[in-house]
């Protein structure tokens, strides 16, 4: 067996001109914002808005197909409340309005509203889409959800990334993804750049759904770029108000029906075979749109779903050289606690791959320096120390051991082909220059024994987390993270559903984390489970079933990670032993959009 190599943390830090977390970033001009909810600081509403208001999120792919057993559900967390314990007395709640539209833009329900409801704080609620569409046997389209809190004081929704989720289920597969924020500040007819990296089309059949939630039409262009940034396929689109479309990346064309559960006619791509970057740009003067990427295995009913991110359109600055001697001058560090290399978990193995894309970068080149930390907080792997890294990159994408990606370029890191030793689980950080969005770095986790895969993306760095800690409505907690769509059940033959809770300490003050995970079901709080200690920069993984004693059967669940002193982040790996499938939730700080998007 290969011996795990670790690097002295101080020696590793000497390769960066900043700590792993604290970096000085020049605020961006208002016309150069990166994306809704990213690391940019181009807009901040007051900590307390003058009134409660409705804020919107979008779920651009809702499917019901009784013949194929494909179902959609909406999971509502109602996670806005005042203070650290404001959910406990039942005095606070969230109002929801659900707007559902078929692919042609026709509204479901009276007066265009499919459902109105009010949910007490932290009472996780699941609504089957079948209840909304009635006797219709098949349906596909898009959804807009409006929400506003009822709280002790006048305030707006605390986090648009964890307020609503969609879960898709089939007999052999499932997945869940949060609805995408559409704050008032972004509801205009400017031109936006909407992009994400995608995996190898030789391995997956990828279908992109695009939904226009507005009363105005949306027109624009869908473009596919290969790994080197070459423009491979471009297609104009036009969407009527509230309408949806589907774009087949493998064929490079629109499709009229969501054949997402069926094997494609051919597994060969008519566009490209490898990984690349998808970009959507709406025309100036028309509405933007929202999309999910449905990532399905060829000829198998295994799927996962991930989404792009909006950013403003601007001309990138000339590329800078981010080195000071041997030091890499990072502008930010982004994280994920979902790094696995041949990690055994009972009868299954966990493996990770990562997809890095630039989108439209602030400069003409984006530099990325990946590294891995273990359960003790030691640096277990560094891109600068791995000679195998160059084998996975296109020409001129590696310089001084740092990945360099030009506009619209992308790359993939498969850790089965790198030098990280087997049976590893930990966290991955990516130091970047210039700043970029955490959503442009995707995570794929696979279980080879099950033939299962799942996608999600990275988490923001410490500068953002420090910003999230400012509102007094938070109650002084250093960490307050939400994951939803969790399940845990033990049957006669063993565990049916379980959760891997991934926790990473990104605090730069040397503070040891002592987190507690709280479980919330349809009636509120189920349990509080202490997780022990998490050293600085450490990443630790916990099986939820091992934290429980006795019989357990809880669904649905929202998980809340809290710590009074240390700044932590949490993601979750959903394990379905009946379907032999997995799903991911990257998790979200409960105040990650509170200061960014208000009622203005």
């Amino acid at each position: 067996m290969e011996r795990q190599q670790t690097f002295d943390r101080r020696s590793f830090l000497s390769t960066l001109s900043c700590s792993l977390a604290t970096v000085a970033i020049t605020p961006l001009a208002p016309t150069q914002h990166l994306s809704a909810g990213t690391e940019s600081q181009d807009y901040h509403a007051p900590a307390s808005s003058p009134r409660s208001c409705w804020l919107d999120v979008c779920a651009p792919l809702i499917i019901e197909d009784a013949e194929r057993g494909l179902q959609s559900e909406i999971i509502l967390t109602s996670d806005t409340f005042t203070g650290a314990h404001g959910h406990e007395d039942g005095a606070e709640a969230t109002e929801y309005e659900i707007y559902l539209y078929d692919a042609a833009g026709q509204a479901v329900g009276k007066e265009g509203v499919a459902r109105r409801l009010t949910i007490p704080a932290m009472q996780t609620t699941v609504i089957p889409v079948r209840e909304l569409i009635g006797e219709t046997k098949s349906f596909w389209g898009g959804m807009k959800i409006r929400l506003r809190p009822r709280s002790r004081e006048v305030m707006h929704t605390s986090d648009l990334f964890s307020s609503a989720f969609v879960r898709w289920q089939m007999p052999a597969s499932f997945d869940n993804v949060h609805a995408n924020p559409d704050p008032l500040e972004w509801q205009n007819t400017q031109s936006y750049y909407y992009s994400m990296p995608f995996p190898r089309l030789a391995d997956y059949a990828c279908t992109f759904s695009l939904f226009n939630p507005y009363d105005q039409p949306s027109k624009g262009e869908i473009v596919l770029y290969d790994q080197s940034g070459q423009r491979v396929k471009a297609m104009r689109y036009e969407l009527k108000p509230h309408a949806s479309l589907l774009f087949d990346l493998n064929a490079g064309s629109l499709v009229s029906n969501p054949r997402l559960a069926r094997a494609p006619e051919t597994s060969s791509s008519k566009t490209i075979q490898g990984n690349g970057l998808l970009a959507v740009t709406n025309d100036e003067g028309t509405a933007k749109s929202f999309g999910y990427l449905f990532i399905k295995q060829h000829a198998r009913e295994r799927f996962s779903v991930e989404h792009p991110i909006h950013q403003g359109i601007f001309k990138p600055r000339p590329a800078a050289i981010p080195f000071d001697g041997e030091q890499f001058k990072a502008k930010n560090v982004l994280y994920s606690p979902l790094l696995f290399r041949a990690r055994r978990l009972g009868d299954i193995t966990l493996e990770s791959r990562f997809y890095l894309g630039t989108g439209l970068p602030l400069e003409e080149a984006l530099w990325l320096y990946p590294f891995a930390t273990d359960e003790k907080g030691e640096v277990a792997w560094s891109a600068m120390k791995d000679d195998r890294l160059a084998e996975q990159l296109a020409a001129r994408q590696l310089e001084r051991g740092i990945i360099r990606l030009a506009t619209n370029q992308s790359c993939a890191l498969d850790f089965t082909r790198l030098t990280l030793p087997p049976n590893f689980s930990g966290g991955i950080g990516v130091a970047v220059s210039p700043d970029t969005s955490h959503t442009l770095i995707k995570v794929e986790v696979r279980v080879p024994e099950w033939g299962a895969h799942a996608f999600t993306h990275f988490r923001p760095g410490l500068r953002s987390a420090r910003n999230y800690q400012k509102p007094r409505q938070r109650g002084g907690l250093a960490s307050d993270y939400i994951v939803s769509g969790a399940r845990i059940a033990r049957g006669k033959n063993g565990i049916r559903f379980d959760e891997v809770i991934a926790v990473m300490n990104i605090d730069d003050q040397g503070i040891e984390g002592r987190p507690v995970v709280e479980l919330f079901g349809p009636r509120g709080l189920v349990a509080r489970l202490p997780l022990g200690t998490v050293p600085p920069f450490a990443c630790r993984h916990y099986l939820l079933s091992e934290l429980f004693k006795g019989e357990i059967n809880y669904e649905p669940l929202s998980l809340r990670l809290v710590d009074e002193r240390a700044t932590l982040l949490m993601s979750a790996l959903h394990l379905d032993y009946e379907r032999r499938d997995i799903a991911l939730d990257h998790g979200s700080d409960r105040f990650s959009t509170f200061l960014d998007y208000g009622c203005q």
Side-chain angles (χ1 to χ4, degrees):
M1 181 187 303
E2 290 185 64
R3 183 182 177 186
Q4 179 171 334
Q5 179 185 12
T6 59
F7 308 96
D8 177 76
R9 186 185 302 152
R10 291 186 179 181
S11 297
F12 174 77
L13 287 173
S14 69
T15 66
L16 297 172
S17 61
C18 63
S19 79
L20 292 182
T22 55
V23 288
I25 300 178
T26 302
L28 305 175
T31 58
Q32 292 183 313
H33 38 247
L34 288 170
S35 60
T38 66
E39 307 277 57
S40 65
Q41 296 185 353
D42 53 293
Y43 173 82
H44 290 306
S48 178
S49 292
R51 60 185 175 85
S52 294
C53 66
W54 293 98
L55 293 177
D56 298 348
V57 295
C58 291
L61 183 60
I62 303 296
I63 310 174
E64 282 288 319
D65 193 326
E67 180 182 345
R68 289 179 277 161
L70 180 56
Q71 303 172 342
S72 297
E73 297 173 326
I74 305 153
I75 303 174
L76 304 176
T77 58
S78 189
D79 64 340
T80 292
F81 54 88
T82 306
H85 307 286
H87 60 85
E88 292 182 342
D89 58 7
E92 307 203 26
T94 302
E95 298 177 65
Y96 290 91
E97 290 185 350
I98 300 173
Y99 298 81
L100 182 62
Y101 304 93
D102 65 19
Q106 183 66 39
V108 174
K110 296 181 179 179
E111 300 177 349
V113 183
R115 179 71 61 87
R116 289 186 174 95
L117 68 164
T118 300
I119 302 174
M122 297 308 293
Q123 294 191 9
T124 306
T125 302
V126 174
I127 302 175
V129 171
R130 175 62 53 191
E131 292 183 3
L132 305 180
I133 63 174
E135 299 299 321
T136 304
K137 292 185 177 181
S138 62
F139 173 92
W140 78 274
M143 176 179 291
K144 180 177 74 172
I145 300 175
R146 306 184 73 209
L147 62 153
R148 67 178 177 184
R150 291 184 180 178
S151 56
R152 288 173 172 79
E153 62 181 75
V154 176
M155 63 184 287
H156 58 273
T157 306
S158 60
D159 178 32
L160 293 176
F161 286 114
S162 60
S163 57
F165 293 76
V166 179
R167 180 164 64 189
W168 303 266
Q169 301 197 75
M170 291 184 63
S173 191
F174 78 106
D175 200 20
N176 54 263
V177 170
H178 65 81
N180 287 342
D182 187 23
L184 300 176
E185 291 81 8
W186 288 68
Q187 294 181 15
N188 52 51
T189 56
Q190 297 177 10
S191 184
Y192 288 92
Y193 192 85
Y194 195 42
S195 67
M196 65 175 286
F198 58 81
R200 278 172 44 89
L201 297 184
D203 297 334
Y204 294 108
C206 293
T207 303
F208 183 63
S209 66
L210 199 61
F211 167 55
N212 175 13
Y214 303 113
D215 295 333
Q216 301 83 27
S218 176
K219 299 179 182 179
E221 185 178 50
I222 301 174
V223 182
L224 297 183
Y225 298 91
D226 66 14
Q227 182 174 340
S228 64
Q230 292 298 311
R231 187 180 173 105
V232 175
K233 177 69 179 182
M235 189 201 69
R236 293 286 304 173
Y237 78 87
E238 183 170 348
L239 277 174
K240 297 178 181 179
H242 312 297
S244 301
L245 63 80
L246 294 168
F247 177 72
D248 185 333
L249 274 64
N250 299 67
S253 61
L254 296 178
V255 292
S256 58
N257 295 306
R259 298 173 296 169
L260 306 177
R262 299 177 182 173
E265 297 178 0
T266 175
S267 62
S268 63
S269 170
K270 295 181 181 179
T271 50
I272 57 178
Q273 290 286 309
N275 57 280
L277 188 107
L278 166 74
V280 179
T281 307
N282 64 291
D283 294 345
E284 187 79 23
T286 74
K288 68 180 186 302
S289 50
F290 289 81
Y292 283 154
L293 184 64
F294 204 97
I295 306 167
K296 179 186 166 296
Q297 295 180 13
H298 291 300
R300 296 192 66 188
E301 293 184 347
R302 296 287 199 186
F303 66 87
S304 184
V305 182
E306 183 45 9
H307 65 83
I309 193 71
H310 287 105
Q311 65 181 87
I313 292 181
F314 51 85
K315 183 178 180 180
R317 299 188 295 263
I321 306 299
F323 290 94
D324 182 6
E326 296 300 318
Q327 290 184 327
F328 175 60
K329 298 191 295 183
K331 295 294 187 181
N332 204 359
V333 186
L334 310 175
Y335 298 94
S336 172
L338 296 170
L339 174 56
F340 304 102
R341 170 66 184 102
R343 177 62 170 173
R344 295 295 300 174
L345 184 65
D347 295 332
I348 63 175
T349 307
L350 302 177
E351 297 280 10
S352 295
R353 288 191 288 211
F354 300 91
Y355 302 88
L356 290 65
T358 58
L360 184 62
L362 294 175
E363 297 176 3
E364 293 174 347
L366 174 65
W367 301 72
L368 307 104
Y369 181 14
F371 59 91
T373 59
D374 62 18
E375 63 181 9
K376 298 179 181 179
E378 300 296 335
V379 178
W381 176 87
S382 164
M384 283 188 178
K385 304 291 185 179
D386 196 335
D387 294 335
R388 300 180 188 175
L389 179 61
E391 300 172 2
Q392 302 188 38
L393 303 177
R396 296 185 295 279
Q397 286 190 342
L398 188 67
E399 186 171 332
R400 301 194 197 183
I402 306 295
I403 298 171
R404 181 186 185 278
L405 301 178
T407 303
N408 294 318
Q409 287 190 348
S410 59
C411 68
L413 301 183
D414 185 346
F415 273 85
T416 64
R417 297 165 52 198
L418 296 172
T419 58
L420 193 66
N423 206 31
F424 177 87
S425 62
I428 182 171
V430 177
V432 298
S433 182
D435 202 5
T436 188
S437 170
H438 57 280
T439 60
L440 287 169
I441 308 179
K442 305 298 184 186
V443 182
E444 179 187 9
V445 175
R446 294 174 294 131
V447 177
E449 294 87 349
W450 290 353
H453 70 283
F455 284 79
T456 188
H457 54 263
F458 270 48
R459 309 310 310 126
L462 182 63
R463 185 174 61 82
S464 290
R466 294 289 188 226
N467 199 46
Y468 305 156
Q469 294 166 0
K470 293 178 181 179
R472 59 177 176 76
Q473 293 91 340
R474 183 184 182 94
L477 292 173
S479 298
D480 193 350
Y481 243 76
I482 296 288
V483 160
S484 198
R487 297 176 292 178
I488 181 169
R490 183 183 289 126
K492 295 181 179 180
N493 298 322
I495 293 293
R496 297 167 53 228
F497 309 112
D498 208 347
E499 301 291 326
V500 176
I501 302 173
V503 177
M504 191 171 184
N505 185 344
I506 64 171
D507 207 297
D508 67 330
Q509 300 300 314
I511 301 174
E512 183 179 71
R514 297 181 179 271
V516 173
V517 63
E518 300 176 339
L519 280 63
F520 295 89
R523 296 184 178 180
L525 183 66
V526 171
R528 285 190 174 96
L529 305 172
L531 299 182
T533 62
V534 183
F537 301 123
C539 181
R540 296 195 167 177
H541 299 86
Y542 310 83
L543 262 181
L544 186 54
S545 60
E546 294 181 352
L547 301 174
F548 268 97
K549 305 295 182 182
E551 292 300 315
I552 46 176
N553 190 1
Y554 296 115
E555 180 189 5
L557 288 173
S558 295
L559 310 181
R560 182 187 181 210
L561 184 86
V562 294
D563 194 297
E564 294 182 355
R565 298 180 65 244
T567 303
L568 311 173
L569 56 86
M570 173 180 66
S571 298
L573 169 62
H574 307 313
L575 296 166
D576 188 328
Y577 286 92
E578 293 185 335
R579 291 186 178 91
R580 295 167 61 87
D581 196 21
I582 62 173
L584 299 174
D585 182 356
H586 57 64
S588 181
D589 188 284
R590 200 168 64 84
F591 279 80
S592 66
T593 57
F594 187 70
L595 294 181
D596 292 298
Y597 305 114
C599 300
Q600 306 307 311

